[in-house]
Amino acid sequence: MSKSMTNNFKKILIVMAILAIFINPIAGANNNWTMFQENVEHTGFIEEAGDFVSNLWIHSMNNPILSSPAIQDKIIYLASENGLLEAINMENGDTNWKYQLNGSVQASPVVKGDNLFIGANVDNNKGYMYNYNIENKKLSWKFEVSKPIESTATLTNDTIYFGADNGKVYALNTRDGSKLWEKEIGGKVKSSPTYVDGTVYVGSTNGVIFALNGNDGSQIWNYTTGDQVVASPNYGNGKVYIGSLDGTIYSLNGSDGSLAWKYDLGNKVNSSASLDLRNNNLYVGSDSDNLTCLDTRDGTFKWAYKTGEDVRTTPAIYEDKVVFGSNDGTQYILNKYTGNPELTYNPGIYLFNSPITSSSVIYGDVIFFAGNDGYLYSLDGDKLNTPISVFVYYTIIVIIVVLAVIIGLITFIKRRRK
């Protein structure tokens, strides 16, 4: 190789190195968790968690929270069951603004740019898909369907996909809310659709998992399970992973819906699975009170961690940890390789326990989760620090009252004996 060619080659290597330095931080800096399970494949996995650390705080929404948070640009968007939508400062837990939706909410918000999309149950007999502009604080449009919307929307390009309790899957234009197509699949569609390469995957309470054409809603394939499907599918390595109330987690080939493998978890699967494809791990909760880790390739059992109640939240994965909540009122952080606990946090101090059905989200080294107790919590996922729950003070008050009663009874008994 000539000297000039060698010098040119060195220059090219230097340029490539400089580009790598600038490009990698940009690629890893997008820590937003803008939709359910973080992405359209619903993996629930953050590849680079980042180094953001928030203060430890607790935010009250004064109503049970079934929805999971969405995050964009250090603002958390969350709706309580009574339809109150809030924008919350991620650093200190203060409210930036509130908006009262017309209806109750179980679905989670999806955020893109200035637009927030969320479904609601109106008067228990119909549903609205809302598009709220988070910049000008005004409702852009709403789309009415004949039954409640419990399905969390999935957003890709200029199309939003979601299901409703009328057994239909919808595709809307995000700009004006116009309907692109609807497809009746039967049952109730509580599952959040997953979108991959032009195909929409979704489950129904009629026990069937569907693959639909994202352009027109036409059916590509379907697979029948043994009971209702309320969990959301996720996708990785050409496979669709989804649980059923028949107690089984299924791995289906995305191209034709044929069964790759299945695993019996022993009780109903309401939880949506999460995937760590780097380590071939699938994490899923069940009503057997377990979070279970399986091999994505063949369904081989790796480990299970037993909680005190049903696990119906979707796990979130970051670094070497997996985090999830249980109906026993506890938030768990486990080592994702071994299942060994690294932190358990029970804000209700057991005496005031409330189920945790809202799934955790992650930003940097911070974990955010909400509970049926009406509070949103900020935890330090790096140092594993937790805020002091308000229920600690309630517990102290109860103990003081109980002690006062005991002392009063003892004093009364002593006086009676004199």
Side-chain angles (χ1 to χ4, degrees):
M1 184 180 290
S2 67
K3 186 175 181 180
S4 60
M5 290 180 66
T6 302
N7 290 335
N8 288 335
F9 184 69
K10 288 180 179 179
K11 290 178 181 179
I12 292 172
L13 288 177
I14 292 171
V15 171
M16 290 177 66
I18 293 172
L19 287 173
I21 291 170
F22 283 99
I23 290 172
N24 282 340
I26 294 170
N30 183 18
N31 298 312
N32 291 327
W33 193 293
T34 59
M35 65 178 68
F36 178 64
Q37 288 185 270
E38 204 272 327
N39 51 51
V40 293
E41 294 89 5
H42 286 173
T43 61
F45 178 70
I46 287 286
E47 293 197 21
E48 294 185 37
D51 56 3
F52 174 82
V53 178
S54 167
N55 297 314
L56 303 178
W57 50 257
I58 299 174
H59 177 87
S60 176
M61 295 188 70
N62 298 311
N63 206 263
I65 304 168
L66 309 179
S67 171
S68 300
I71 299 175
Q72 180 175 265
D73 299 332
K74 297 185 180 179
I75 301 295
I76 300 172
Y77 300 95
L78 183 61
S80 56
E81 190 179 25
N82 66 351
L84 182 63
L85 175 66
E86 289 196 32
I88 302 160
N89 186 303
M90 193 165 61
E91 296 184 350
N92 55 29
D94 290 344
T95 300
N96 284 7
W97 52 259
K98 300 179 181 181
Y99 181 79
Q100 183 64 56
L101 299 167
N102 179 22
S104 61
V105 172
Q106 296 184 31
S108 302
V110 178
V111 186
K112 182 180 180 181
D114 293 339
N115 298 299
L116 181 148
F117 304 90
I118 190 167
N121 171 13
V122 183
D123 299 327
N124 294 316
N125 61 0
K126 62 182 178 181
Y128 283 131
M129 176 57 65
Y130 292 97
N131 176 9
Y132 184 78
N133 189 298
I134 59 178
E135 181 64 27
N136 63 25
K137 314 298 188 301
K138 293 180 180 179
L139 191 67
S140 298
W141 54 258
K142 62 181 179 180
F143 180 85
E144 181 179 327
V145 301
S146 59
K147 291 291 182 180
I149 299 173
E150 301 177 68
S151 166
T152 295
T154 294
L155 180 64
T156 178
N157 300 321
D158 293 324
T159 304
I160 187 167
Y161 302 94
F162 64 94
D165 286 1
N166 59 6
K168 295 182 179 181
V169 178
Y170 294 88
L172 308 182
N173 186 309
T174 58
R175 288 168 291 186
D176 56 13
S178 59
K179 184 173 65 177
L180 301 176
W181 55 260
E182 66 179 60
K183 173 68 174 179
E184 185 164 358
I185 63 174
K188 296 180 179 179
V189 186
K190 302 174 184 288
S191 174
S192 174
T194 292
Y195 178 92
V196 180
D197 296 333
T199 300
V200 176
Y201 303 96
V202 68
S204 171
T205 61
N206 62 9
V208 183
I209 302 161
F210 292 86
L212 307 176
N213 186 305
N215 292 323
D216 57 17
S218 58
Q219 180 176 300
I220 299 173
W221 55 256
N222 70 74
Y223 181 91
T224 302
T225 74
D227 206 335
Q228 299 182 39
V229 177
V230 298
S232 302
N234 51 27
Y235 185 98
N237 292 337
K239 303 290 192 300
V240 177
Y241 304 92
I242 188 168
S244 167
L245 296 192
D246 65 7
T248 303
I249 181 80
Y250 295 87
S251 171
L252 307 176
N253 289 302
S255 57
D256 59 11
S258 59
L259 180 67
W261 56 260
K262 62 181 179 179
Y263 186 88
D264 184 1
L265 289 165
N267 211 323
K268 298 177 180 179
V269 183
N270 285 275
S271 168
S272 303
S274 293
L275 300 176
D276 182 353
L277 296 174
R278 290 181 177 180
N279 297 288
N280 300 307
N281 286 348
L282 176 149
Y283 305 91
V284 62
S286 67
D287 285 9
S288 59
D289 306 344
N290 287 322
L291 181 79
T292 302
C293 177
L294 304 174
D295 193 305
T296 58
R297 294 168 293 189
D298 56 13
T300 299
F301 175 86
K302 293 192 174 182
W303 56 258
Y305 181 85
K306 186 83 168 179
T307 73
E309 266 289 353
D310 303 341
V311 178
R312 297 188 172 185
T313 63
T314 298
I317 310 162
Y318 73 105
E319 296 175 350
D320 61 349
K321 302 177 183 68
V322 56
V323 55
F324 67 100
S326 168
N327 278 5
D328 65 6
T330 303
Q331 188 77 0
Y332 295 88
I333 301 178
L334 310 181
N335 182 290
K336 73 177 183 181
Y337 301 109
T338 65
N340 293 329
E342 300 198 3
L343 175 72
T344 59
Y345 174 59
N346 184 288
I349 320 297
Y350 301 101
L351 190 62
F352 297 96
N353 269 3
S354 291
I356 299 173
T357 54
S358 170
S359 298
S360 310
V361 300
I362 297 165
Y363 189 102
D365 288 321
V366 187
I367 298 166
F368 301 98
F369 77 94
N372 289 20
D373 58 11
Y375 289 92
L376 173 66
Y377 298 87
S378 165
L379 312 184
D380 186 331
D382 180 33
K383 297 180 180 179
L384 303 181
N385 293 331
T386 62
I388 298 175
S389 165
V390 295
F391 297 104
V392 170
Y393 306 109
Y394 297 162
T395 302
I396 292 172
I397 292 171
V398 169
I399 292 172
I400 291 173
V401 170
V402 170
L403 288 175
V405 170
I406 292 173
I407 293 171
L409 286 173
I410 293 172
T411 303
F412 176 76
I413 292 170
K414 286 181 176 179
R415 288 177 179 175
R416 288 289 300 270
R417 286 178 179 176
K418 289 182 179 180

